[in-house]
Amino acid sequence: MMKEAVEEYIKSGIIELYVLELTSDEENRDLIEAARAFPEIQEAIDSAAKTFEDFGQANAVAPPAPLKAFLFGTIDYMERLEAGEVPTSPPALSQTSTIEDFAPWLNREDMVLPENAEDTYIKIIGADEKLTTAIVWAKTMLPAEVHDDEFESFLVLEGSCEIDIDDETHYLKPGDFLTIPLFADHVARISSDTPCKLIVQRAKVAA
């Protein structure tokens, strides 16, 4: 490949598509071989990658804390399944639920709050198309939310919290259960000195 051809190759846009993972397997192989042979192509790849990274950081919008925690919790759950964890089906929460019902998950060595955890930390213990169940730790609060397609239920395991649903406040301690109605504004404030640990379950509304 002559110098002019290398320059044309770099200007073709293939490098930007490669960095964005929009190239085919064949195009990837050709580009990798070209980068090995021509340092200027590798330099162009590195430059494009840095440009996209800098743009992303400059325009990044931090997700709300609960959403961020849920995303990290989902990634953690998928990695555990890929590593061989067998999916389980925790029981549905109800007025008769007890902390002991969730002992098989609560007693696991990996279901702990890391020392460097942020304000909200989530470990998903079961998920399917209808029901998602997680152990949640909250240090200060769970910000306001409204659900229009799923019922959210809580079972307090440790600590305490106050949950405002519209204009009513519910005071929850270990063993207490609460379901959030659809379309209801709700926010939880942690009232204990230690993080509030809960089973949080979201059940999809039947179509």
Side-chain angles (χ1 to χ4, degrees):
M1 188 181 290
M2 302 297 291
K3 180 177 180 181
E4 293 79 6
V6 171
E7 292 177 354
E8 287 300 319
Y9 189 72
I10 292 174
K11 293 177 181 178
S12 69
I14 189 69
I15 289 175
E16 288 77 6
L17 292 175
Y18 172 76
V19 172
L20 293 172
E21 300 182 355
L22 297 176
T23 45
S24 66
D25 291 342
E26 182 179 355
E27 290 172 327
N28 292 341
R29 287 192 294 270
D30 292 343
L31 184 54
I32 291 172
E33 291 178 3
R36 289 173 178 168
F38 300 95
E40 51 265 64
I41 292 179
Q42 183 60 58
E43 291 174 3
I45 293 173
D46 295 340
S47 176
K50 187 175 188 307
T51 297
F52 285 124
E53 180 181 0
D54 290 346
F55 179 83
Q57 292 180 351
N59 294 275
V61 177
L67 176 59
K68 179 180 177 182
F70 183 77
L71 290 174
F72 281 128
T74 300
I75 292 171
D76 168 73
Y77 182 62
M78 297 303 297
E79 290 178 344
R80 283 158 36 207
L81 294 180
E82 291 176 1
E85 180 174 320
V86 178
T88 57
S89 298
L93 284 175
S94 70
Q95 289 283 0
T96 60
S97 294
T98 67
I99 296 174
E100 184 61 28
D101 294 338
F102 296 88
W105 298 273
L106 298 175
N107 293 335
R108 283 175 41 172
E109 293 183 355
D110 60 330
M111 296 295 162
V112 296
L113 177 66
E115 292 184 1
N116 61 345
E118 297 187 7
D119 189 68
T120 305
Y121 184 73
I122 294 175
K123 295 287 281 191
I124 294 176
I125 58 176
D128 56 34
E129 66 278 4
K130 296 181 180 179
L131 198 66
T132 300
T133 307
I135 303 173
V136 176
W137 290 262
K139 296 180 180 180
T140 61
M141 68 179 300
L142 294 173
E145 292 182 300
V146 177
H147 303 298
D148 59 6
D149 63 348
E150 59 188 8
F151 289 101
E152 186 174 49
S153 300
F154 300 87
L155 176 67
V156 179
L157 304 171
E158 299 174 4
S160 59
C161 62
E162 301 173 0
I163 299 182
D164 293 337
I165 303 177
D166 292 331
D167 297 326
E168 185 176 2
T169 300
H170 301 261
Y171 302 91
L172 304 182
K173 61 185 185 305
D176 286 346
F177 164 85
L178 183 67
T179 292
I180 308 298
L182 293 178
F183 311 110
D185 289 310
H186 59 281
V187 60
R189 297 180 302 278
I190 310 309
S191 54
S192 53
D193 294 333
T194 57
C196 188
K197 181 179 179 181
L198 314 97
I199 294 292
V200 176
Q201 197 168 76
R202 292 185 174 182
K204 287 289 184 181
V205 177

